[in-house]
Amino acid sequence: MGSGSSPCASCKLLRRRCAKDCIFAPYFPSDDPHKFAIVHKVFGASNVSKMLQELPVQQRADAVSSLVYEANARVRDPVYGCVGAISYLQNQVSQLQMQLAVAQTEILCIQMQHHQEDSALALPTQMQHHDDDDYKPFLLPTTHNLDNISQYINFASSSNVIQDPAATVKRESLWT
Amino acid sequence: MSSGRCAACRYLRRRCTQDCFLSPYFPSNNPQRFASVHRIYGASNVTKLLQRLPTHLRSEAADSLYFEAQCRLEDPVYGCVGLIFLLQQQIHSAESQLIKTQAEIAVMKSQTQHPQTQPFRAISGSNNLLLQQSDNDANLIFSNQVSSGFI
């Protein structure tokens, strides 16, 4: 994109000749100078160049988008950057998981109540034909079964991802 | 005194003075910390970033820079942004599950209150079964879905 036309935003900012094979040109067009400016401010042009060079061409656009995102987050919040957003979202996940656990517990309680009512209405002789192990969680009229409720509760997919920064997330392109 | 150098000065192979700016945030016992941050941001950028902040916030800023640098090294394409999208996905999934579960509760409660209108049937978690119930409360819950909405 560099030859014959205006230099890309990077070369314009860096005040250098925009070569034909300029690594920045496809991702930092001249009509959006702010995009490169912010990435350069946080990461530095040479670091960005090194990062892009280490990636296959088809992944560079996404990498640039994520770098721009991180740089914007860092400028907005110089202390926490993206980590602030991650903490906030992780909190939301935890709260929702708790709400979900409460709701699922409520369902189990209602189901247990219904089963108890149903079994109370059934003729006593019918109950003897069943294996107690099959109905144990529901027939006992006491609250002891509430201790086993946790085994029935399905939590959402794993939280606590933030505590393991080594977790790698493979994603499809999100910016097309 | 080469043994007293902070991780930054040791990495950069320079003398670590008593008033070295980076030494409080990159102690010598964790060389990986500065190596990661330097690889992604560069020493001068890190110094500039930290210098712009009040002293009492610099330590946390250095921690967050290290975290983001580690994420970027682990995932060179998406860095910590990949984590953000994963968490958004988790939120969306948990919200959907919560709405569905609350609708099930509403249906079960209405059946408890009005047992003569419909015999109790255990909810299997199937959406089709819920829709067939045509319960007003369930419809309201589904129509009031909360969107995750990125900050």
Side-chain angles (χ1 to χ4, degrees), chain B residues 128-147:
Chain B
N128 291 334
L129 187 61
L130 283 173
L131 291 171
Q132 286 164 13
Q133 301 282 358
S134 66
D135 180 86
N136 286 336
D137 288 340
N139 289 335
L140 277 173
I141 289 169
F142 276 115
S143 68
N144 288 335
Q145 285 192 22
V146 176
S147 61

Side-chain angles (χ1 to χ4, degrees), chain A residues 62 66 69 79-80 106 158, chain B residues 60 64 77-78 90 109 150:
Chain A
D62 280 356
S66 69
Y69 185 93
V79 181
Y80 296 107
E106 195 173 343
S158 64
Chain B
E60 296 200 35
S64 72
V77 181
Y78 297 102
Q90 288 182 351
K109 280 184 175 173
F150 183 56

